[in-house]
Amino acid sequence: MRAPKAFDPRRLDVAAFAKAGGHLDGCTPLRDLRRLAEAVLDDPAAEVPWTLDGNWRQPAGDEPQWRVHLKAAVTVHMTCQRCLETAPLALSVDRRLRFVMDEREAEALDEASEDEDVLVLPSRLQVAQLLEDELILTLPIVPRHDLCPNPLPVAADLLPADVSDAAAAGESAASDDPPQANPFAALAALKTARKPG
Ligand SMILES: [Zn+2]
């Protein structure tokens, strides 16, 4: 018996992987996914578990169809744009990709297909790069809690302009610095204390 072919996620032969019905899984440190790590708050211990499965079909009289199915999940942290506290955000990827030989065919099929992306078969695929691209696509444009722990119903109107501006511009600073007491929290406490009942 031959040993099953080992597939290298750093330079994956997608066609062979799909045809063999291959399976890969791993746990990639978030810090290795540079562009994603830079978009979220620093979390040196975070890891992204993922699986990649391949499958292949050869319809009669048609071109072979190579497919992979990528699944991954990770919780990252971003600054909530409503309350400016750190918000945990659960990202998950469940993406089916089909590969074809020809770029024009890929474009036409991709437009026609709703449930899978169609790409040109790469000579080698870096799974980590695909993983990172797909996770970045799931990042919210405006990160925020589903339910803010310290809601600030009318804060924006009450704040002096300079504080609002600092808050709006403060996102990059917040990602470099450890969490600090924020001026909104004190205001919230004050307003809560003032409420009758
Ligand atoms: Zn919030």
Side-chain angles (χ1 to χ4, degrees), residues 80 82-83 145 148-149:
C80 171
R82 192 155 47 198
C83 72
H145 293 102
C148 291

Side-chain angles (χ1 to χ4, degrees), residues 26-67:
C27 204
T28 302
L30 179 61
R31 63 172 183 274
D32 288 356
L33 306 175
R34 282 271 183 80
R35 287 169 297 138
L36 177 62
E38 280 173 11
V40 302
L41 298 178
D42 196 25
D43 189 354
E47 293 187 323
V48 186
W50 56 267
T51 62
L52 187 74
D53 290 282
N55 73 76
W56 181 78
R57 268 188 347 123
Q58 174 66 74
D62 205 348
E63 288 199 36
Q65 299 182 352
W66 298 277
R67 285 187 170 84

Side-chain angles (χ1 to χ4, degrees), residues 140-158:
I141 295 166
V142 181
R144 55 192 176 197
H145 293 102
D146 290 336
L147 197 61
C148 291
N150 300 302
L152 299 168
V154 287
D157 294 337
L158 295 178

Side-chain angles (χ1 to χ4, degrees), residues 65-87:
Q65 299 182 352
W66 298 277
R67 285 187 170 84
V68 298
H69 184 190
L70 175 69
K71 292 178 84 167
V74 62
T75 296
V76 297
H77 295 85
M78 297 179 82
T79 301
C80 171
Q81 296 304 293
R82 192 155 47 198
C83 72
L84 301 186
E85 305 268 356
T86 297

Side-chain angles (χ1 to χ4, degrees), residues 11 45-47 55 60 72 78 89 115-116 132 140 145 157 166 186 194-195:
R11 45 192 311 278
E47 293 187 323
N55 73 76
M78 297 179 82
L89 297 162
D115 58 349
E116 65 183 1
E132 180 169 32
H145 293 102
D157 294 337
R194 274 187 195 160
K195 264 187 203 153

